[in-house]
C-alpha cells in the first residue's frame, strides 16, 4: 500500500521566516494531497490541499508544491507567526469515490517570537 | 460546519476489559474512519467504513472491531483491551462526492489501559 514519509519530525523557525515541510509518497496512483494541522491538545483540521493536475497551490501564507516525477510534495508557510506553531500532517489519497488517506508521522513546528 | 463527536473523551480501562469508543457525525458523509495517534507513528488507520453496515480493516486492525449501524454512527470496539492499546483515538468522516475530499476529525478519545 501507499507509504507517506514526512522528512522533518521537528522544525523551529523565527517569527517572520518561512517554514518548509517535505513529504514523499510511493504510490503513483495517489492524486490528492491534503495537509492537516493539529494545535497543542486539539484535534486535526484541514489547512490546504493539492491535486495532481496542478503543481502549485496557494492559500494566503500557505503554498503547496507537488513534484509528481519525484513523488514529493511540500508545505511552505511564509511570514510565520506564533499561531502557526503546531503539528502538521501530510497525507496522500487516490481521490476516488471511496477514499483511504495515508498520513505522514507529523512535523512539530515551533515559531520562535 | 461539519461536526464529528466522539465519546468518551477520556477513558481508563483495565487489561482484559471491553471498551467501546463511539463516534457520531452530522455531516451525512458516507466514509468514516478510526485512527490512533502515537508518538513516533503519527496517525494510523484502524478501521474504516464507506456506509451503513460496512466495515473494512485498515492498516492495524488486530485487536479491534468496528461497527457502523447507521450513516451517523461508527464505533470502535476493543473486546479484550491491552496496555499496548493505550493511545489517542480519532474518528473522522469525509466524502469524495462533489469534489469534497476534506476529512473532519472528532476531538479525540484518550484511552489508558492499565
Amino acid at each position: 500500500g501507499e507509504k507517506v514519509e514526512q522528512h522533518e519530525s521537528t522544525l523551529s523557525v523565527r517569527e517572520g521566516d518561512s517554514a518548509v515541510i517535505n513529504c514523499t509518497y510511493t504510490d503513483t496512483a495517489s492524486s490528492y494531497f491534503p495537509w492537516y494541522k493539529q494545535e497543542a491538545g486539539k484535534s486535526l483540521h484541514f489547512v490546504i490541499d493539492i491535486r495532481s493536475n496542478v503543481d502549485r497551490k496557494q492559500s494566503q501564507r500557505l503554498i503547496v508544491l507537488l513534484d509528481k516525477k519525484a513523488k514529493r510534495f511540500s508545505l511552505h508557510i511564509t511570514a510565520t507567526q506564533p499561531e502557526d506553531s503546531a503539528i502538521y500532517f501530510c497525507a496522500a489519497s487516490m481521490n476516488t469515490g471511496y477514499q483511504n488517506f495515508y498520513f505522514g508521522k507529523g512535523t512539530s513546528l515551533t515559531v520562535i517570537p | 460546519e461539519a461536526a464529528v463527536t466522539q465519546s468518551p473523551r477520556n477513558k481508563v480501562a483495565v487489561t482484559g476489559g471491553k471498551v467501546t469508543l463511539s463516534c457520531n457525525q452530522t455531516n451525512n458523509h458516507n466514509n468514516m474512519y478510526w485512527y490512533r495517534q502515537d508518538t513516533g507513528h503519527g496517525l494510523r488507520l484502524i478501521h474504516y467504513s464507506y456506509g451503513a453496515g460496512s466495515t473494512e480493516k485498515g492498516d492495524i486492525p488486530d485487536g479491534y472491531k468496528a461497527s457502523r449501524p447507521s450513516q451517523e454512527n461508527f464505533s470502535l470496539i476493543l473486546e479484550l483491551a491491552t496496555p499496548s492499546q493505550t493511545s489517542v483515538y480519532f474518528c473522522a468522516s469525509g466524502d469524495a462526492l462533489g469534489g469534497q475530499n476534506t476529512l473532519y476529525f472528532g476531538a479525540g478519545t484518550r484511552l489508558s489501559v492499565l
Side-chain angles (χ1 to χ4, degrees):
Chain A
E2 172 67 280
K3 283 193 176 355
V4 177
E5 193 88 36
Q6 199 162 342
H7 296 269
E8 299 82 7
S9 57
T10 61
L11 184 60
S12 289
V13 299
R14 294 233 168 252
E15 183 176 356
D17 288 348
S18 291
V20 182
I21 303 170
N22 295 286
C23 290
T24 52
Y25 61 99
T26 57
D27 194 336
T28 52
S30 289
S31 58
Y32 175 67
F33 307 93
W35 289 84
Y36 287 82
K37 178 181 181 182
Q38 184 181 33
E39 292 162 41
K42 297 192 176 177
S43 188
L44 289 81
H45 67 269
F46 170 85
V47 289
I48 192 170
D49 60 9
I50 191 166
R51 298 174 197 275
S52 58
N53 59 341
V54 296
D55 54 19
R56 185 183 191 277
K57 182 174 180 178
Q58 181 165 2
S59 174
Q60 299 182 317
R61 295 185 296 109
L62 302 179
I63 301 168
V64 182
L65 303 178
L66 174 63
D67 181 342
K68 291 192 292 291
K69 272 191 182 172
K71 297 205 280 279
R72 181 172 57 221
F73 58 113
S74 57
L75 174 67
H76 299 245
I77 307 173
T78 62
T80 53
Q81 300 168 1
E83 53 264 38
D84 294 327
S85 295
I87 301 175
Y88 290 83
F89 292 91
C90 61
S93 168
M94 278 186 266
N95 196 31
T96 57
Y98 163 71
Q99 290 178 297
N100 196 355
F101 291 84
Y102 298 90
F103 283 85
K105 292 183 180 180
T107 297
S108 179
L109 172 65
T110 301
V111 178
I112 305 162
Chain B
E1 175 73 15
V4 179
T5 305
Q6 291 183 234
S7 62
R9 292 293 315 279
N10 293 282
K11 173 77 177 176
V12 178
V14 295
T15 298
K18 182 176 180 178
V19 177
T20 299
L21 307 183
S22 299
C23 179
N24 175 273
Q25 54 109 350
T26 57
N27 313 317
N28 199 31
H29 286 157
N30 288 324
N31 303 333
M32 295 186 75
Y33 310 80
W34 276 107
Y35 291 92
R36 63 179 282 177
Q37 183 180 23
D38 304 285
T39 305
H41 290 281
L43 283 171
R44 291 182 291 174
L45 181 65
I46 306 169
H47 282 287
Y48 57 93
S49 167
Y50 47 84
S54 91
T55 60
E56 303 291 336
K57 293 180 180 179
D59 299 321
I60 53 163
D62 292 346
Y64 302 93
K65 285 170 52 177
S67 174
R68 182 89 182 268
S70 64
Q71 179 84 337
E72 298 79 19
N73 295 296
F74 190 38
S75 298
L76 186 68
I77 304 147
L78 290 66
E79 295 275 9
L80 293 168
T82 69
S84 64
Q85 294 174 312
T86 293
S87 187
V88 179
Y89 292 84
F90 287 101
C91 175
S93 75
D95 215 321
L97 297 179
Q100 294 295 319
N101 300 90
T102 304
L103 282 182
Y104 295 89
F105 285 85
T109 295
R110 187 173 295 275
L111 173 66
S112 296
V113 183
L114 307 177

